[in-house]
Amino acid sequence: MLKEYKDNFYRDDSRLHLNNAGLSPISRPARDKVFYWAERFYQEGFYSDKDYMSDVFHSRVSLAKIIGCNSNEVAFFQSTASAISQLCFHFPLSTGDEVITWDQEYASNLYPWQEACKRSGARLVIVDSEKDYSTPVNNILSKITKHTKVVAISWVQFLTGSRTDLIALSKVTREKEIFLFVDVMQGLGLHPFNMKEWGIDAIAGGSHKWLTSPVGVGFLALDTKHIEKIKPHNVGAYTYGSCDDPTDLFCTPKKDAMKFEAGSKQVLEITALGASVDLILKTTVLEIEKEVLRHSSGLQRGLIDLGYEVHYNNSSIINFLPRSDSAARLAAIPCNFALRGPGIRLSPHAFNTDEDIEKVLKALA
Ligand SMILES: Cc1ncc(COP(=O)(O)O)c(C=O)c1O
């Protein structure tokens, strides 16, 4: 299975992909899907109408499977930020309410909630991580007050890969009727996840990291019990029905998450995302996680043996404090990486090989 997964990625030994937490190469099925729809649109135009819509629907179903929700709870957007904006600008917040988040959140999660708090008079409570960048759930729980309305955090932090225990967190948020929102961008497709079973109210993420598909798709999954309360941010033909409906000044929005998709969609990107998710589901997330953790823990051990200080939290992300020539040595392989937070961030995926990891460690020795 894993071999089949790896075979579905382009291999070029002169380029190492170790910034998959930034932008991962896309899978072969994702690439094929883009070509497929480009060709059909080129040849058929409107004659492909029904087929492309049913392929977009297939992507919605596949994505719902990997999220652990129903397909009618999933809405597509252009980015994670736009998916989060949809939720937070229409979430019923008012003066005195509190929204809790971590101090190391990626801007696509932090800024929308910060702005929603500004507009509504709510207070954004920023919780300190530990000195080693870990994000223990107790730090969040200790900040919950009777004013807390939302906890809005990333599952896996983009700087250091620190993971928050969502099951422990949701036990408390459910008991206290606090809305739990999770940015799953750095974890979905990489670690097993289940929105419903874990008691999470809403999640958002995007296509181009661990889901190995083209840049340009964000998604929101919102539990059915909240959908009616959240008004659509963008409004168009698809908010109410389809492009074939007569114009109506008194129509009511759809009852499912599709009401958040105002108009036509990014068919090539969304169907490519579905194809990549199918590959992940076929391989299984558990297999992918096992391989990723084998690579990341191998990197961690190797870097420690070489005398580097390493931040590692049992995810794909390793962050180490570089020496003066570390970046140049990596660039010379060449291997891509990111400068993030305390140091250099490396993030192997399951398609990476043992030789990739050895090459990096040799270059940094
Ligand atoms: C935690 C997290 N959320 C979201 C994103 C992406 O946000 P957007 O799709 O808005 O560019 C990233 C990284 O790019 C991220 O690390």
Side-chain angles (χ1 to χ4, degrees), residues 33 36-37 50-59 271:
K33 197 57 106 170
Y36 174 81
W37 278 116
K50 284 218 160 38
D51 287 353
Y52 91 65
M53 287 200 191
S54 90
D55 210 2
V56 167
F57 181 71
H58 176 85
S59 294
T271 55

Side-chain angles (χ1 to χ4, degrees), residues 21-22 79-82 106 108 154 156 158 183 185-186 206 208-209:
S79 63
T80 314
S82 46
Y106 185 70
S108 285
S154 291
V156 178
F158 81 109
D183 175 340
M185 180 60 136
Q186 294 290 0
H208 60 271
K209 299 179 195 290

Side-chain angles (χ1 to χ4, degrees), residues 324-344:
S324 58
D325 59 351
S326 302
R329 281 168 177 251
L330 288 173
I333 299 179
C335 164
N336 54 21
F337 60 89
L339 292 171
R340 290 283 180 276
I344 287 184

Side-chain angles (χ1 to χ4, degrees), residues 259-308:
K259 75 175 182 183
F260 301 126
E261 299 169 3
S264 311
K265 287 170 254 303
Q266 318 91 291
V267 175
L268 273 61
E269 289 86 350
I270 291 173
T271 55
L273 169 63
S276 255
V277 170
D278 287 345
L279 175 65
I280 296 168
L281 291 171
K282 191 170 163 208
T283 312
T284 75
V285 176
L286 267 176
E287 275 291 305
I288 290 174
E289 181 187 54
K290 211 164 95 190
E291 181 68 350
V292 165
L293 294 181
R294 199 174 68 78
H295 286 325
S296 59
S297 59
L299 264 176
Q300 178 218 17
R301 278 194 307 275
L303 287 166
I304 289 173
D305 288 349
L306 293 173
Y308 289 93

Side-chain angles (χ1 to χ4, degrees), residues 60-343:
R60 199 186 297 279
V61 171
S62 297
L63 196 59
K65 267 188 209 150
I66 206 166
I67 293 170
C69 67
N70 301 320
S71 59
N72 62 3
E73 296 175 309
V74 174
F76 290 115
F77 293 83
Q78 179 267 323
S79 63
T80 314
S82 46
I84 298 175
S85 297
Q86 159 61 65
L87 175 67
C88 69
F89 293 129
H90 294 274
F91 192 89
L93 286 173
S94 44
T95 308
D97 289 344
E98 290 171 355
V99 175
I100 292 181
T101 195
W102 282 115
D103 60 354
Q104 51 173 305
E105 288 293 330
Y106 185 70
S108 285
N109 188 34
L110 174 67
Y111 291 164
W113 287 106
Q114 188 177 40
E115 183 60 28
C117 286
K118 251 193 235 162
R119 291 183 193 182
S120 62
R123 192 165 79 89
L124 187 68
V125 178
I126 299 191
V127 177
D128 291 339
S129 316
E130 295 296 301
K131 274 209 175 68
D132 64 358
Y133 293 87
S134 61
T135 49
V137 77
N138 278 341
N139 294 26
I140 295 220
L141 299 183
S142 68
K143 296 290 180 200
I144 288 178
T145 71
K146 62 180 195 299
H147 303 293
T148 307
K149 285 283 174 314
V150 183
V151 173
I153 57 164
S154 291
W155 179 23
V156 178
Q157 293 297 332
F158 81 109
L159 295 175
T160 56
S162 179
R163 232 187 302 177
T164 300
D165 181 347
L166 297 177
I167 296 176
L169 180 57
S170 87
K171 247 191 205 155
V172 178
T173 52
R174 271 186 287 180
E175 203 178 278
K176 296 186 182 288
E177 293 184 10
I178 294 166
F179 189 96
L180 177 55
F181 166 76
V182 182
D183 175 340
V184 298
M185 180 60 136
Q186 294 290 0
L188 192 70
L190 168 59
H191 302 298
F193 182 79
N194 198 306
M195 176 173 139
K196 293 271 180 193
E197 272 179 21
W198 293 10
I200 295 164
D201 294 287
I203 64 99
S207 50
H208 60 271
K209 299 179 195 290
W210 306 102
L211 299 177
T212 62
S213 54
V215 180
V217 187
F219 48 84
L220 174 71
L222 179 61
D223 194 287
T224 303
K225 64 178 180 273
H226 301 295
I227 290 179
E228 200 147 341
K229 283 181 270 174
I230 308 290
K231 284 193 178 140
H233 191 66
N234 299 315
V235 174
Y238 287 88
T239 312
Y240 307 105
S242 81
C243 57
D244 296 326
D245 300 338
T247 306
D248 176 358
L249 293 179
F250 303 100
C251 41
T252 47
K254 287 174 182 160
K255 298 277 182 244
D256 57 24
M258 258 89 89
K259 75 175 182 183
F260 301 126
E261 299 169 3
S264 311
K265 287 170 254 303
Q266 318 91 291
V267 175
L268 273 61
E269 289 86 350
I270 291 173
T271 55
L273 169 63
S276 255
V277 170
D278 287 345
L279 175 65
I280 296 168
L281 291 171
K282 191 170 163 208
T283 312
T284 75
V285 176
L286 267 176
E287 275 291 305
I288 290 174
E289 181 187 54
K290 211 164 95 190
E291 181 68 350
V292 165
L293 294 181
R294 199 174 68 78
H295 286 325
S296 59
S297 59
L299 264 176
Q300 178 218 17
R301 278 194 307 275
L303 287 166
I304 289 173
D305 288 349
L306 293 173
Y308 289 93
E309 188 180 329
V310 182
H311 295 282
Y312 176 64
N313 289 285
N314 229 21
S315 77
S316 173
I317 292 173
I318 300 108
N319 196 308
F320 70 96
L321 300 192
R323 297 176 188 148
S324 58
D325 59 351
S326 302
R329 281 168 177 251
L330 288 173
I333 299 179
C335 164
N336 54 21
F337 60 89
L339 292 171
R340 290 283 180 276

